[in-house]
Amino acid sequence: MPWTVDLSPVDAALCAQDPDLPGLGAVLNAAPLAKTLGLGELRHSYLKYKPGTNCVAGLVPRDGSLGAWAAMTYPPVRWPDIRSRPKWNKKAQKAVYFDDAFTVFVPLALERRLPNARKLSAEKSRAELLHSLGLSHHTLKILRYKPGRRIVLRADGPKGSRAVLKLHARQADFDRAVAGAVYAETMGGPAVIATSPTDLAIATAWTQGHVLSPLSEPRDFVLAGAMLARHHAAGDPKNLPGLSAPKPHRTVRAISNLQPSLKARAQYLAERLPTLVADGMVAIHGDFSADQVVRETFGTVILDWDRAACGPAARDLGSALARLDFDEIGGPLTEDARRALIEGYAAVRPLPKGESIIAHRAHALFALAVEAFRDRRPDWDRHLGGVLDRVEQLCQTSQMPKAPSALPSLSSALDPEHVHAALGARPVEVALARLKPGRRALVRYDMPDGNVLLGKVRAKGIDLYAPRIQAKLRSAGLDGSDGVGVPPVAGTADSLALWLQQVVPGRSLGDMLDDPNCDCLNAMRGTGRALARLHLTPAQTERRWTHADELAVLEKALLEVGYKDILSLAKARLARLPPAPEVGLHRDFYFDQVLVGPDTVWLVDLDLYAQGDAAIDLGNFLAHLDELALRRGNDAGHFDALEDAFLSGYRLSAPLPDPRRIGSFRWISLARHIAIATRFPERRHTISAIGTLCRKKLSDGT
């Protein structure tokens, strides 16, 4: 069958240098070629190239259905044997041949080296496989397919995604995957649903949430680093295999095959890669990167422990940093993600030596040199050169990002055995929910009696103020009985330097703002009423927060970023405010501090509770709405309807302060976000808009 493909210049050059594989271009562009055959919309999932020998591509339907194909091309001398294989020609589903290109497309039903995957193509054998894994009546979607090696699928049931299913070609790979999955489960990872040694198949529980990418927010990388550190601190490596040594000579060969002109440089770099030192041996992931991390509502989960091993902690950190380096070449900047990952790790346990992390990072990045070719990036040649440039830079540096000190008790607070000793019961599950490196953390505990607790850890020791205030507020009437409350305090654990509160039923108001199906107006009215109830409750502390305190925080923030003119406007605005009655303030009140339940609005995180001007809480809440609108590319009035609902809810229970008074603290609070935005890449585009708005509003008195 005649064939033509549109080759990029770099692919055309590669094909020209390998005359023994005249069909190489067909496999490099197998997806568009398959479409002309009527095989559907396919995407590349795998590519393996041996110059002069063969090239194999794995192709997966874009909708994830089970119609996967492998495209393979061979030298002309082997073609008669390939063309006459009986199993590819006598079955109901046959291979498709391109004789002019010495290339064959083989359906999943005819897989040679991954025979168990053939069961997926027939309804009866697929049902038997699913039954053996406890997944009867589930449907399957292909996630990844490596012909002759492995296929990964998602099993969906009546209630949504249920499991990840992996079928392996080799016994050794299956055994290692099972060992890694069992280890991960003991560390709070996905449960192992079932294994089938006959089919070399393993099913593990599906993890809901979002997978990290270079575009994820830095705080997600902080939590990922902390979770990795927790594994390193608490994992037991004694039953895990040893770590295989890097093989830079293979990378040199692969680079030479693709770009002969780079052979000398690749060899030069391979010989100058830093020496790897086997220090700090722990249980490691073995292939750690951002796309192995899933952020859930209440925790962070690390997936795919197929290469779990006993090795140096620096290996996992170096692997993750290298992948971010790789993603940055021709892609988004990842400096903040790299720094956040290191900060999160250092908040739980001391970092390995900087030179050790850099060494592993350099080796891992060098191993990724030809990954852009395998991913079928059109500019894979430039990307390959960019990887070598960065490897050379790493070989010449010994600098690592500075990280804050670890939270001394966080590692123990994440260890079920330490928690058992402190609380008298071993939690069923432990998850790190929030982390501010070097400062504080929030840990979720699912207890065996069905209770769910949140523990708060601080770097400077256990916080006795917040639980005392929370208990007093509940005694004063904020116990949820009339639709407004603060969560019950569940005690303290001195040995873990944390205090605990019960989890209450409700959804974060911040999450609701992202859901078009939520009744946000009613939730906002309930939030306004809840804040009014807090302000009407007699103050339960002698601690005070004055206008001068508010101004001091703003001054520190704006002087760091050079916005002295806004600071001068804020000082003048506050100087004109007359005194006001003081109430019990939340002092950090915004939508993420509110949980909206079926019958109750809960106020959380009262660590800063103090007496002060009610307009401070009201202004702070409105400023956060303004910032969110600007961050999403809208104007500051985008949430006017929500603002009106919030203020009307407050007004139904308590008189509102003068609007100009609320406005004063609103724009002062928003001005603080200028400094905050400089620390988050995804917020930096708002700096100019915030500055302009604050100047206008602080000047005109609104």
Side-chain angles (χ1 to χ4, degrees), residues 133-468:
L133 295 169
L135 297 171
S136 296
H137 309 299
H138 283 62
T139 58
L140 296 173
K141 294 287 187 181
I142 299 177
L143 302 178
R144 292 184 295 278
Y145 172 43
K146 292 186 175 183
R149 294 183 60 186
R150 185 175 70 165
I151 189 166
V152 183
L153 309 104
R154 187 187 74 219
D156 296 331
K159 297 182 179 179
S161 300
R162 167 85 188 288
V164 173
L165 173 60
K166 297 179 182 179
L167 280 72
H168 298 82
R170 301 192 309 168
Q171 183 73 45
D173 292 337
F174 169 73
D175 292 342
R176 186 151 193 174
V178 171
V182 170
Y183 166 77
E185 183 178 13
T186 65
M187 292 294 293
V192 178
I193 295 175
T195 63
S196 174
T198 303
D199 297 309
L200 301 185
I202 178 173
T204 55
W206 178 261
T207 302
Q208 297 289 351
H210 67 271
V211 178
L212 263 63
S213 77
L215 298 177
S216 296
E217 294 188 4
R219 64 171 176 266
D220 288 337
F221 281 93
V222 169
L223 292 168
M227 186 54 65
L228 178 66
R230 180 196 167 194
H231 278 280
H232 287 176
D236 184 357
K238 67 176 182 291
N239 293 322
L240 295 175
L243 187 67
S244 58
K247 300 177 176 63
H249 65 281
R250 292 186 179 179
T251 303
V252 172
R253 184 167 63 244
I255 293 172
S256 304
N257 290 337
L258 298 178
Q259 298 273 275
S261 62
L262 293 177
K263 179 178 180 180
R265 187 181 183 204
Q267 185 65 51
Y268 172 86
L269 288 174
E271 293 171 354
R272 283 158 180 78
L273 287 170
T275 301
L276 298 176
V277 179
D279 58 348
M281 304 296 278
V282 297
I284 65 170
H285 182 277
D287 188 28
F288 185 65
S289 59
D291 59 359
Q292 310 282 22
V293 180
V294 174
R295 280 285 296 123
E296 299 178 293
T297 301
F298 288 106
T300 303
V301 179
I302 299 176
L303 306 177
D304 292 341
W305 290 81
D306 297 9
R307 299 186 191 178
C310 175
R315 168 65 178 262
D316 279 345
L317 285 166
S319 173
L321 295 174
R323 176 58 72 170
L324 289 170
D325 287 327
F326 179 88
D327 291 334
E328 188 174 81
I329 298 170
L333 296 177
T334 61
E335 179 183 354
D336 292 287
R338 296 196 299 270
R339 181 178 291 108
L341 184 79
I342 292 296
E343 288 180 352
Y345 190 98
V348 175
R349 74 188 299 262
L351 284 167
K353 294 179 180 178
E355 56 268 29
S356 181
I357 297 175
I358 290 174
H360 283 280
R361 179 178 174 183
H363 277 268
L365 184 57
F366 188 67
L368 292 172
V370 300
E371 197 73 10
F373 167 74
R374 294 177 181 142
D375 291 343
R376 302 310 300 129
R377 297 192 184 191
D379 61 343
W380 61 262
D381 57 331
R382 290 193 294 274
H383 199 282
L384 194 162
V387 169
L388 297 185
D389 289 342
R390 189 157 295 199
V391 169
E392 188 166 12
Q393 293 169 9
L394 290 172
C395 291
Q396 298 170 354
T397 185
S398 60
Q399 299 298 314
M400 280 291 296
K402 292 183 178 179
S405 301
L407 284 163
S409 63
L410 182 54
S411 181
S412 296
L414 291 168
D415 185 336
E417 294 304 325
H418 281 88
V419 176
H420 185 185
L423 303 184
R426 192 181 193 281
V428 176
E429 187 172 349
V430 180
L432 182 64
R434 293 181 192 169
L435 174 65
K436 290 196 173 181
R439 295 175 60 190
R440 57 183 179 272
L442 185 66
V443 185
R444 175 185 167 108
Y445 301 103
D446 289 75
M447 304 305 289
D449 61 1
N451 280 329
V452 182
L453 306 177
L454 287 177
K456 295 191 174 185
V457 183
R458 292 195 314 175
K460 56 185 179 182
I462 190 169
D463 181 2
L464 298 177
Y465 176 78
R468 184 171 68 249

Side-chain angles (χ1 to χ4, degrees), residues 565-566 569-570 573 576 667 692-702:
D565 62 323
I566 294 180
L569 291 170
R573 182 78 176 256
R576 295 194 296 269
W667 310 122
T692 299
L693 183 61
C694 289
R695 288 187 186 94
K696 178 180 183 299
K697 295 295 186 178
L698 288 170
S699 298
D700 64 20
T702 57

